[in-house]
Amino acid sequence: MEIIIQPTPEAASAIAARMIARLLREKSDAVLGLATGSTPLLLYRELVRRKLDWSRVTTFNLDEYVGLAPDHPASYHCFMWENLFRQVNIAESNVHIPDGLAGDIPGFCQRYEEQIRAAGGIDWQLLGIGTDGHIGFNEPTSSLASRTRIKTLTQQTRADNARFFGGETAVPQHVITMGIGTIMEARQVVLMAFGQDKARAVAEAVEGPITAMNPASILQLHPVARIVLDEPAATLLRKADYYRWVYDNKPDWQKA
Ligand code: GLP
């Protein structure tokens, strides 16, 4: 794991944007795994500003709420089109987001996995983290080998996401999410976290035991996982000074 601690979300997002810009320069038909939530907003803004060529890029989003139509303002479809896709030259046919209205959910999930495989697998997967350590919508106790499937949200996650729905009762109970096994097959993974509210989940994921109680902790087993944090999200890391030293002393060619 590489832990990158930056003074602000802006600086952290700029680093992630540079990683994606470099990937798209080297591989114009890259396959990106994308995330939603507040955390990636600055990254998406920076990617739009950079005017990269998305014409050959394929994307797969992590998750979607079951029961929400793509034009529902709190749907992840809406989020992605508004904050990124509509502002870059991506082909609509290359965008994949789980279908919250799928009639046959297990069948849909199986096809989603097949589409990821058919695209050649995910080159670069972006993740946020829930206050309970979830990645995608893989809540604590999710199988660490899980594939794309339906999940039931915890009360904590529904409370955390109530702000997008104008109240907790309006937050759907079920979601479709890429599994942890699916996420772990991406060639590179970048988890971003900002703010003090994420500090405990981040510290447990990075320095705690690998456990289904903190799904993000599985990233300790990923060969190319980067954790990009602002200072408040890094406050509970015991080895923060070491991570800063490592990053500041990297050879230039290794820097993001
Ligand atoms: C949501 C999403 C996750 C996201 C996380 C954090 O529930 N399903 O993919 O990483 O919660 O959200 P935020 O970035 O808004 O804190």
Side-chain angles (χ1 to χ4, degrees):
M1 262 180 169
E2 181 181 15
I3 319 299
I4 303 174
I5 303 169
Q6 292 292 298
T8 61
E10 284 77 7
S13 303
I15 286 181
R18 278 206 296 279
M19 290 178 198
I20 294 183
R22 180 190 284 187
L23 174 66
L24 298 197
R25 263 200 314 275
E26 288 167 359
K27 188 177 181 192
S28 60
D29 61 348
V31 179
L32 302 181
L34 296 178
T36 51
S38 327
T39 308
L41 281 172
L42 289 167
L43 165 62
Y44 292 159
R45 197 181 302 166
E46 175 62 14
L47 289 174
V48 169
R49 197 192 63 76
R50 282 173 168 256
K51 299 198 186 315
L52 306 170
D53 181 10
W54 291 72
S55 59
R56 301 182 65 215
V57 173
T58 297
T59 62
F60 287 90
N61 261 80
L62 282 166
D63 45 16
E64 180 58 286
Y65 293 101
V66 169
L68 292 200
D71 61 353
H72 187 290
S75 74
Y76 287 164
H77 276 78
C78 216
F79 176 97
M80 289 308 300
W81 281 97
E82 201 170 305
N83 292 298
L84 182 64
F85 298 147
R86 204 170 290 134
Q87 300 174 62
V88 297
N89 64 334
I90 195 163
E92 191 168 352
S93 54
N94 288 350
V95 169
H96 304 84
I97 305 174
D99 178 4
L101 296 183
D104 168 16
I105 292 179
F108 174 84
C109 294
Q110 201 180 324
R111 279 197 303 284
Y112 205 67
E113 292 276 337
E114 284 161 10
Q115 285 175 314
I116 294 173
R117 264 195 299 279
I122 292 171
D123 292 304
W124 198 97
Q125 175 68 55
L126 176 65
L127 298 171
I129 185 170
T131 53
D132 59 4
H134 74 231
I135 49 176
F137 266 136
N138 294 284
E139 297 284 29
T141 72
S142 286
S143 159
L144 297 178
S146 51
R147 313 301 307 189
T148 304
R149 70 211 181 293
I150 189 167
K151 284 292 291 178
T152 304
L153 295 179
T154 61
Q155 281 313 110
Q156 175 69 57
T157 298
R158 294 183 70 228
D160 287 348
N161 289 356
R163 67 191 191 280
F164 298 111
F165 289 84
E168 201 175 316
T169 49
V171 183
Q173 312 224 1
H174 296 105
V175 293
I176 294 174
T177 181
M178 268 188 212
I180 297 176
T182 321
I183 292 167
M184 287 296 284
E185 281 173 12
R187 292 177 192 98
Q188 297 185 51
V189 178
V190 172
L191 183 148
M192 298 175 74
F194 305 144
Q196 179 82 46
D197 286 355
K198 301 290 175 71
R200 190 181 53 83
V202 165
E204 285 174 0
V206 172
E207 296 178 341
I210 296 173
T211 166
M213 284 303 285
N214 180 316
S217 65
I218 192 69
L219 298 179
Q220 294 176 34
L221 287 179
H222 196 288
V224 193
R226 297 190 178 93
I227 313 293
V228 185
L229 308 170
D230 69 354
E231 285 288 350
T235 43
L236 297 180
L237 289 171
R238 277 170 300 176
K239 295 199 172 291
D241 287 343
Y242 172 66
Y243 309 139
R244 287 193 192 91
W245 193 91
V246 170
Y247 188 69
D248 291 345
N249 290 281
K250 275 170 93 121
D252 281 345
W253 61 269
Q254 242 192 1
K255 284 191 177 157

